[in-house]
């Protein structure tokens, strides 16, 4: 993008391939272990993982996995899964419009989290229990034993299927020796964090553990209009455990936890050309719009939006309408029980869990001072999951240890409820009229302080005259739209019940002492029942449709009348927000079953080296788009209950399938460990969720093996652009027999650690992932054309998929004198190449490469009984965006020339907003334990 971007890329390549590989990067590739010449101590300190349903040394597991220890998490300051970015180079976790919308990506593949109807490509498991969406992992984690990040499709084990990988978090178990620990942290933004943990025996057969966390912090963003902070912290977490071991062969672990958050999230600011040069003149006000001005900026300014908001760079002052709020409350709690029973010839493991999660989030959803769109705080507006899961595994050996077999089953009953109260704001009607008037041939009539947004007298007369015989209807529709204020959803309810079960087997054949063959197979059956009921008071939509729909469709209406009628209906009925749906209910159901699995051939030519090749087939279930806007275009009425029900199946999308191949090597000896993985994964029916400025689009992206001749890149909006095609909506179809994979992720991952001395450790991680769309794309498995809004996808990298990521860390814990005191010096870094943050890949959403560093220094007492540490995260205060997006409803007039059109402006005069990443934070932590 820029010269600095190119320089960053060169630095990434040089640093990653030169220094980082040889010395330090923190993926904390879990191969690290304390340097020692004592083999017994080596074995004691080696990291054990359960990625294959068994306890195995990480260096012996022929899969791509990073294991992050509790010490690494503590040093990096990780409190939830977002901070895992610093310690796993193939992982990227971000959150956007709500903390419930957190999305995890591995190797550039993930699910955009704004629609809970889409399951996670990278699910989160905590103590073996599936969490319904990865955003739930944004809660506090408490005392953690380790985190395992498995890369690539998980189509055999892991409870729920996943198409890109999974994150497994393991908390510390109760201990039969008494112990307690605590810490107090204070930092800038008035940050307080208190944690405590106590564990010990109740009897000689029963031990208990209790962990607690309390966090409070001012917000990183400031809402000056309502005199409050946004993106703050106010939460607590409790977890209690019982461990019952009546015999050496039987262990029963019971866990209960509760999380509560009462926080304001998530504010956004406008993107300007100091942040992204592709913004160009987009933020320049002017009516009429010219080749260098944008009418929508002038409209917003005239209705109360300060122009300074369009040129604030990475400033953290929000534009918010008076009385609007980002308040949100989240409750997450549940219970689980795990039984491990050695039956003699086999071991039985059972994990039973029930969880409830509810998150309600208000928002000023136009992200500006003009009141266009909002969601009010309400106990009746939320997304909620009630989930029961049961997993059973039976594992043993046969043929004198030649076969390590495992069979099992998984069942989940998930009840998802979404209740919504999204409404047009108090300024919407006038804003909508001004958008129409200012954006075209009527701009000379523009008068934002007057009814219809036109000059009195001459304005209505001119509109009526230009509309011919339709003039009276058009004026009446303008008048109706002018009054569309604080109308819309009262309380819509979406409900989905997902029942899925699976049978699986995972078997390791020890062909020789050095050669193993692993075969896994899974059958999954998934059934979903869906229903929705709507309540809506937007009678303006039905009024405008009744007034001008005939003018839009009539063969006798003139071009001006048709254009105005289409604009008036579209803006009156945005997102199918219409009183016609008031009291209407719809329902649908779907079912699917899939076979998935894996085959791995692994070879150890010497004890310290493991070589392997693997094949895996993964799957992510299809489902329902929980958004009424996907039912149909807003132009035509539903036709009542029967008409709405007939459209219910339009909300369905297909399951995502992936075929993956890997070649890998792991070397582990004494103080040095390294791992290298080459991978290729092909995705069919890739589930993509995109906000186009008005509604969310959900499409299954596939490729076409025949040449579409650029038909998937055509558009019919900008007549002056080189890719203009009046028939673009129908071009780019593919014969059904030629439909194939649409996304390919390929590259390599390198992890290394070096422990040259007992108190000094360096780790390194490098991921090169070329995660791209196929050159010819279609929008479903039948070969239907790709939506025009996605025309930049063919042949491009996916969003939030940097090609190159290097991570690194250095930890030094020198002894201080002979009193038992030790010091701590720790630094980690993550360097990322350029990537695009928007799923439609508009250039205005590109993010230059950057580097983030964390640091920690301190002193610890003998046996680390106490410690004081000074820390900083984002040490150099790097400013960047997590996600950039189309500012809702804020698109200016459509260009008929080459300005504000493809290729630089695929969104035309669309404005853009961004969710900022966290700024530098710093503070001090006091620790104690006994």
């Amino acid at each position: 993008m820029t010269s600095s971007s190119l320089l960053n890329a060169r630095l990434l390549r040089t640093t990653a391939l030169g220094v980082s590989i040889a010395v330090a990067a923190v993926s904390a590739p879990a191969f690290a272990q304390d340097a020692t010449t004592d083999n017994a101590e080596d074995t004691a300190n080696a990291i054990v993982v359960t990625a294959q349903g068994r306890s195995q040394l990480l260096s012996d597991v022929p899969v791509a996995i990073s294991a992050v220890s509790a010490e690494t998490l503590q040093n990096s300051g990780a409190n939830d899964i977002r901070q895992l970015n610093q310690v796993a180079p193939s992982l990227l976790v971000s959150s956007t419009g709500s903390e419930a919308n957190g999305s995890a990506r591995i190797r550039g593949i993930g699910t955009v989290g704004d629609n809970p109807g889409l399951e996670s490509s990278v699910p989160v498991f905590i103590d073996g229990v599936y969490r319904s969406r990865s955003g739930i992992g944004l809660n506090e984690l408490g005392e953690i034993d380790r985190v395992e990040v498995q890369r690539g499709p998980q189509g055999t084990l892991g409870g729920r299927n996943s198409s890109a990988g999974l994150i497994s978090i393991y908390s510390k178990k109760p201990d039969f020796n008494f112990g307690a620990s605590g810490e107090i942290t204070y930092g800038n933004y008035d940050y307080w964090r208190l944690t405590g943990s106590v564990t010990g025996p109740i009897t000689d057969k029963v031990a208990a553990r209790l962990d607690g966390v309390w966090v409070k912090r001012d917000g990183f963003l400031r809402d000056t209009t309502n005199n409050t902070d946004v993106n703050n912290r106010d939460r607590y977490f409790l977890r209690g455990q019982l461990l019952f071991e009546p015999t050496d062969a039987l262990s029963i672990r019971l866990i209960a936890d509760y999380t509560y958050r009462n926080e304001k999230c998530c504010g956004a600011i406008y993107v300007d050309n100091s942040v992204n040069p592709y913004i160009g003149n987009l933020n320049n006000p002017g009516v009429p719009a010219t080749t260098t001005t944008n009418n929508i900026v002038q409209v917003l300014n005239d209705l109360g939006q300060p122009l300074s908001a369009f040129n604030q760079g990475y400033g953290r002052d929000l534009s918010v309408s008076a009385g609007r709020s980002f308040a949100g409350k989240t409750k997450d709690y549940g219970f689980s029980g795990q039984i491990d029973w050695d039956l003699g010839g086999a071991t039985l493991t059972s994990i039973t869990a029930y969880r409830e999660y509810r998150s309600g989030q208000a928002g000023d959803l136009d992200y500006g001072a003009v009141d266009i769109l909002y969601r009010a705080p309400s106990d009746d507006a939320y997304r909620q999951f009630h989930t029961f899961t049961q997993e059973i595994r039976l594992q043993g050996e046969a043929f004198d240890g030649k076969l390590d077999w495992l069979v099992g089953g998984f069942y989940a009953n998930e009840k998802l409820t979404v209740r919504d109260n999204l409404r047009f704001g108090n300024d919407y009607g006038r804003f909508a009229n001004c958008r129409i008037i200012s954006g075209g041939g009527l701009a000379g009539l523009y008068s934002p302080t007057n009814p219809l947004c036109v000059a009195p007298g001459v304005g209505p007369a001119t509109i009526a005259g230009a509309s011919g015989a339709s003039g009276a209807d058009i004026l009446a529709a303008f008048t109706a739209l002018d009054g569309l204020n604080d109308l819309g959803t009262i309380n819509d309810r979406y409900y989905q019940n997902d029942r899925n079960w699976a049978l699986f087997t995972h078997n390791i054949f020890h062909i020789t002492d050095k050669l193993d063959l692993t075969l896994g197979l899974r059958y999954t059956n998934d059934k979903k029942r869906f229903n929705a009921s709507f309540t809506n008071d937007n009678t303006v939509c039905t009024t405008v449709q009744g007034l001008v729909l005939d003018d839009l469709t009539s063969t006798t209406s003139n071009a001006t009348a048709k254009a105005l009628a289409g604009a008036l209906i579209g803006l009156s009925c945005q997102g199918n927000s219409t009183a016609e749906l008031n009291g209407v209910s719809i329902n649908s159901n779907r079912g699917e079953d899939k076979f998935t699995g894996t085959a791995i051939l692994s070879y150890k030519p010497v004890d310290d080296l493991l070589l392997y090749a693997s094949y895996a087939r993964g799957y992510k279930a299809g489902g329902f788009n929980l958004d009424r806007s996907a039912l149909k275009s807003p132009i035509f009425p539903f036709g009542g209950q029967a008409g709405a029900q007939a459209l219910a199946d339009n909300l369905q999308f297909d399951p995502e399938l992936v075929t993956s191949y890997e070649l890998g090597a792991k070397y582990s000896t004494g103080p040095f460990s390294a791992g290298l993985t080459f991978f290729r994964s092909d995705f069919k029916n890739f589930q993509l969720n995109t906000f186009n400025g008005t509604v969310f689009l959900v499409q299954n992206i596939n490729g076409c093996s025949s040449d579409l001749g650029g038909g998937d890149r055509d558009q019919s909006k900008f007549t002056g652009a080189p890719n203009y095609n009046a028939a673009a909506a129908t071009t780019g179809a593919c014969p059904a027999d030629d439909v194939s994979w649409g996304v390919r992720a390929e590259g390599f991952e390198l992890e290394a650690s070096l422990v040259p001395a007992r108190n000094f450790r360096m780790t390194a991680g490098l991921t090169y992932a070329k995660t791209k769309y196929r050159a010819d794309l279609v929008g479903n498995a039948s070969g239907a054309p790709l939506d025009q809004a996605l025309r930049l996808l063919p042949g491009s990298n996916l969003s939030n998929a940097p090609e190159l990521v290097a991570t690194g860390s250095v930890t030094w814990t020198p002894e201080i004198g002979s009193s038992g005191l030790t010091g701590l010096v720790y630094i980690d870094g993550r360097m990322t190449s350029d990537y695009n943050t928007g799923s439609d890949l508009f250039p205005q959403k590109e993010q230059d490469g950057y580097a983030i560093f964390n640091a920690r220094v301190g002193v610890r007492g003998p046996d680390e009984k106490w410690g004081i540490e000074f820390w900083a995260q984002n040490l150099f205060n790097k400013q960047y965006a997590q996600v950039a997006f189309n500012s809702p409803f804020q698109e200016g007039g459509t260009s008929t020339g080459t300005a504000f059109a493809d290729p630089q402006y695929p969104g035309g005069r669309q404005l853009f907003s961004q969710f900022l990443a966290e700024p530098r934070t710093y503070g001090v932590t006091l620790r104690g334990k006994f």
Side-chain angles (χ1 to χ4, degrees), residues 7-22 766 804 806 831:
L7 178 59
N8 284 338
R10 294 190 193 102
L11 287 173
L12 274 169
R13 289 172 173 83
T14 302
T15 304
L17 295 173
V19 179
S20 182
I21 291 175
L766 175 68
L804 195 63
M831 295 175 288

Side-chain angles (χ1 to χ4, degrees), residues 534-558:
F534 307 103
T535 54
N536 196 293
D537 59 6
N538 181 17
T539 56
V540 172
C541 173
T542 54
T543 298
V544 172
Q545 284 176 329
L547 286 168
V548 299
L549 183 59
D550 58 339
D551 300 296
L552 175 64
T553 59
S554 172
T555 58
T556 60
S557 301
N558 66 28

Side-chain angles (χ1 to χ4, degrees), residues 652-663:
Q652 294 196 29
F653 54 87
D654 291 333
E656 182 175 291
L657 305 173
V658 56
T659 302
S660 184
Y661 305 89
E662 292 186 1
L663 291 173

Side-chain angles (χ1 to χ4, degrees), residues 87-103:
V87 295
S90 293
L91 176 69
L92 177 63
V93 182
S94 60
S95 60
T96 54
S98 163
E99 292 251 327
N101 292 341
S103 177

